[in-house]
Amino acid sequence: EADIYQTPRYLVIGTGKKITLECSQTMGHDKMYWYQQDPGMELHLIHYSYGVNSTEKGDLSSESTVSRIRTEHFPLTLESARPSHTSQYLCASSPSAPSYEQYFGPGTRLTVT
Amino acid sequence: KNQVEQSPQSLIILEGKNCTLQCNYTVSPFSNLRWYKQDTGRGPVSLTIMTFSENTKSNGRYTATLDADTKQSSLHITASQLSDSASYICVVSDRGSTLGRLYFGRGTQLTVWP
């Protein structure tokens, strides 16, 4: 099993709150990713990072922001949560090429009321 | 447009039976194809990864096939178990970018009944 962790696993918050979803990996991977997944739907890439101080937006537009100050840590922040942000957020990491594998964390189920 | 389509959307089988899940893709240029298993409320876990030159790969009771010419893949599950109940996701990677962008299917929801 991959050593990638996400906290919290479940979060229910009110509209307008600021939240940070944590993601950490102990594998020393350079690349990290955030995906958003709604029930029965495909995963959508919202942010990724090639390494420390590198962050890029993914395919799906998101109001969230990310930071990569340390290799092992890739937190995602929502400054003002809205009901439209309700979703599952999955963090993943992968070593630099040549490797095809992405290792996923268990996910955070976010509900904004 | 790069897409990954999976069928069926859902499937119910009895324990001990075999089943085959399908994946069609239009991703180009193709790099590799992966099958993931995702349990409810968990992150996906990799089952197999196949590159252009590979046309079959096994992982225990899971066997994936790839036809790069027709852009089709299948995942065959043998002697199903209750623990096989999950969503099976086909993921295709392109080689047109440094990131190796992944394109995800919506998954096939498999339910195994006793």
Side-chain angles (χ1 to χ4, degrees), chain B residues 66-108:
Chain B
L66 173 64
D67 186 334
D69 292 330
T70 62
K71 298 186 176 181
Q72 296 180 325
S73 176
S74 65
L75 180 69
H76 186 74
I77 305 175
T78 303
S80 61
Q81 301 175 357
L82 298 180
S83 59
D84 292 333
S85 295
S87 178
Y88 291 83
I89 303 172
C90 177
V91 184
V92 181
S93 176
D94 72 14
R95 53 181 171 84
S97 67
T98 304
L99 182 66
R101 186 64 54 85
L102 300 185
Y103 297 88
F104 290 81
R106 293 187 176 185
T108 292

Side-chain angles (χ1 to χ4, degrees), chain A residues 7-35:
Chain A
T7 58
R9 292 294 317 282
Y10 304 93
L11 180 61
V12 181
I13 60 168
T15 298
K17 300 292 185 182
K18 177 181 179 180
I19 61 167
T20 296
L21 308 185
E22 301 288 349
C23 176
S24 296
Q25 49 96 5
T26 59
M27 298 172 283
H29 290 167
D30 290 325
K31 296 180 182 177
M32 295 190 73
Y33 316 81
W34 275 104
Y35 292 91

Side-chain angles (χ1 to χ4, degrees), chain A:
Chain A
E1 193 162 319
D3 296 322
I4 181 163
Y5 310 98
Q6 291 186 242
T7 58
R9 292 294 317 282
Y10 304 93
L11 180 61
V12 181
I13 60 168
T15 298
K17 300 292 185 182
K18 177 181 179 180
I19 61 167
T20 296
L21 308 185
E22 301 288 349
C23 176
S24 296
Q25 49 96 5
T26 59
M27 298 172 283
H29 290 167
D30 290 325
K31 296 180 182 177
M32 295 190 73
Y33 316 81
W34 275 104
Y35 292 91
Q36 185 173 340
Q37 184 184 30
D38 293 321
M41 302 296 286
E42 63 268 47
L43 278 73
H44 290 284
L45 181 68
I46 52 175
H47 298 283
Y48 61 96
S49 168
Y50 286 123
V52 172
N53 295 325
S54 155
T55 61
E56 303 286 344
K57 289 190 177 295
D59 303 318
L60 184 67
S61 176
S62 174
E63 294 166 347
S64 58
T65 60
V66 292
S67 63
R68 189 90 182 275
I69 298 173
R70 302 197 316 264
T71 297
E72 63 271 22
H73 197 212
F74 192 39
L76 180 146
T77 299
L78 276 167
E79 290 293 333
S80 180
R82 295 206 298 269
S84 61
H85 296 140
T86 295
S87 189
Q88 168 135 328
Y89 293 85
L90 290 160
C91 180
S93 72
S94 67
S96 297
S99 174
Y100 304 131
E101 190 61 85
Q102 278 195 19
Y103 299 89
F104 286 84
T108 294
R109 168 63 65 183
L110 173 65
T111 302
V112 184
T113 61

Side-chain angles (χ1 to χ4, degrees), chain B residues 3-4 23-27 30 33 66-68 71-72 92:
Chain B
Q3 286 186 306
V4 178
C23 173
N24 296 331
Y25 64 92
T26 60
V27 177
F30 174 85
L33 185 145
L66 173 64
D67 186 334
K71 298 186 176 181
Q72 296 180 325
V92 181

